[in-house]
Amino acid sequence: MTTTDPARRGAEETTATAGEILGRCRELVRPALADTVGRLHPWVAEMAAYSFGWCDVGGRPAEGSGGKGVRQALAVLCAEAAGASGETAVAGAVAVELVHTFSLLHDDIMDGDQTRRTRPTVWKAYGTGPAVLAGDALFALAVEALAGVDGAGAAAAVRQLSAALGDLVRGQADDLLFESRPWTGPEAVGPEEYRTMAEHKTGALLGCAAALGAALAGAPEPTVAALDRAGRHMGVAFQVVDDLLGIWGDPAVTGKPVHRDLRQRKKTFPVLAALSARGPGAPAAARLATLLEEFPDTPDDATTRRAAALVERAGGRSTALEEADRHIAAVETCLESLPLAPRASAELRTLLGFLVRRDI
């Protein structure tokens, strides 16, 4: 898979890898995040800690991964890019990490996913009702974390988070509704609708993380708005690459079976782009539409391989790569328009490269 590599830009300002950047930001945020989670009811706090990978069922400490912490890193890096210390953004980083985890708990229930990061999901380990409760508690904690920020910025920060949450819910609602819509015809989901869904579901919180970091650092409104846009474009690129990996990704890297998204009949960007193909790709698009309409509930490997081949032949794979590159370029345009601290700006680009390459 080839996409623009933003990590190469500004390489002279930083030698840190994406893993090192993420690790540094996690270490900065972790004490405040753990302290915030610790204020919950003990049972709910255990479920939250389990979701972060800090403990096993029953509360025994664990060393498992609780995720890479991309959103909290964005908040920290954008505060540093605005010329402040990363500590300035800790409350915002805690808030976006709590909201992200809340969304995962609820998403796993809605999607019926039984595993996450090689462990049972919270609803599978503790039950559906308890998992909903834990998600609600994390959402409330996120608002509390920002409401406690000193100064006049607290109200603005809460408004920023609330707006992102509204977008996230709209995106999730659209994604769920896509499942019941046909593959073709006037009611079919088009690529433009998908872009809007991805910006809301994935991009809104990434944009919020970037904007909160800058806002808490005292950056002017145009800078905050530009970083919000950059994060939203980053989210769409991330989602499109995730869709590519969901069809053609190496299971050894993704941890998911090859062609998984096709087996689940998910309306991902490569498939929608393929179905919309005109010109040379139109015959393959027509055959793909017929195949998808006849897809069994549990398609065999031969059927999913045929579907993947038709998506590629109709241009879905190449169009998706072009879409990801277009949003990566938009992120670059946003960053280049701002007077950001060089090192933090370079680390933002390294993080962007990680998100779209997924090579660590």
Side-chain angles (χ1 to χ4, degrees):
M1 180 183 308
T2 302
T3 57
T4 302
D5 187 354
R8 294 179 183 176
R9 298 178 62 90
E12 67 277 7
E13 289 96 357
T14 181
T15 58
T17 66
E20 291 166 343
I21 294 165
L22 290 166
R24 174 176 71 84
C25 294
R26 282 197 305 269
E27 289 178 11
L28 177 64
V29 175
R30 170 70 184 269
L33 183 60
D35 179 68
T36 302
V37 170
R39 296 201 293 271
L40 292 170
H41 180 286
W43 183 46
V44 179
E46 179 190 316
M47 288 187 282
Y50 176 87
S51 69
F52 284 114
W54 301 342
C55 74
D56 295 326
V57 175
R60 185 180 63 183
E63 297 298 327
S65 170
K68 296 177 177 65
V70 169
R71 290 150 191 83
Q72 59 184 290
L74 269 179
V76 170
L77 292 176
C78 285
E80 294 174 345
S85 166
E87 283 83 355
T88 307
V90 165
V94 167
V96 295
E97 194 65 19
L98 290 170
V99 167
H100 175 56
T101 306
F102 140 75
S103 72
L104 294 182
L105 264 63
H106 285 195
D107 282 356
D108 286 341
I109 294 169
M110 287 184 279
D111 296 341
D113 289 339
Q114 299 189 21
T115 60
R116 180 173 291 279
R117 302 179 189 123
T118 73
R119 300 200 305 170
T121 50
V122 175
W123 75 267
K124 194 66 178 174
Y126 290 89
T128 301
V132 171
L133 180 65
D136 292 345
L138 292 177
F139 167 72
L141 275 184
V143 176
E144 180 184 323
L146 284 183
V149 172
D150 292 333
V158 171
R159 285 195 298 271
Q160 183 88 39
L161 184 67
S162 296
L165 279 166
D167 280 350
L168 190 155
V169 170
R170 279 190 288 273
Q172 181 65 35
D174 284 338
D175 195 28
L176 288 173
L177 287 171
F178 286 175
E179 295 176 8
S180 61
R181 290 172 60 180
W183 290 106
T184 59
E187 298 301 317
V189 180
E192 188 57 43
E193 280 187 280
Y194 183 93
R195 290 185 192 98
T196 301
M197 180 279 294
E199 180 189 333
H200 288 159
K201 182 181 177 182
T202 306
L205 195 56
L206 288 171
C208 179
L212 282 178
L216 293 173
E221 177 54 33
T223 297
V224 174
L227 288 172
D228 182 33
R229 287 195 302 275
R232 286 171 178 266
H233 283 295
M234 192 181 297
V236 178
F238 176 92
Q239 187 61 59
V240 171
V241 170
D242 202 56
D243 290 348
L244 287 162
L245 293 173
I247 299 177
W248 295 286
D250 181 354
V253 176
T254 65
K256 301 175 182 178
V258 67
H259 303 154
R260 175 177 180 268
D261 284 354
L262 285 173
R263 284 191 176 87
Q264 295 183 341
R265 299 171 55 85
K266 292 184 67 173
K267 292 181 173 68
T268 60
F269 190 88
V271 175
L272 298 178
L275 290 170
S276 301
R278 300 293 181 267
R287 291 196 294 274
L288 174 65
T290 300
L291 178 62
L292 290 173
E293 293 292 351
E294 299 172 350
F295 238 43
D297 291 338
T298 55
D300 56 27
D301 289 344
T303 302
T304 54
R305 281 198 302 270
R306 184 182 170 207
L310 287 170
V311 171
E312 186 157 12
R313 200 174 306 158
R317 185 172 187 167
S318 59
T319 302
L321 286 167
E322 291 168 3
E323 180 75 9
D325 280 341
R326 187 171 70 82
H327 287 282
I328 293 165
V331 176
E332 285 289 346
T333 299
C334 291
L335 296 181
E336 289 171 355
S337 70
L338 299 174
L340 303 178
R343 182 178 181 85
S345 179
E347 291 192 342
L348 280 171
R349 288 183 168 91
T350 298
L351 186 59
L352 173 61
F354 159 70
L355 284 176
V356 297
R357 289 197 318 269
R358 320 283 178 87
D359 58 356
I360 62 172

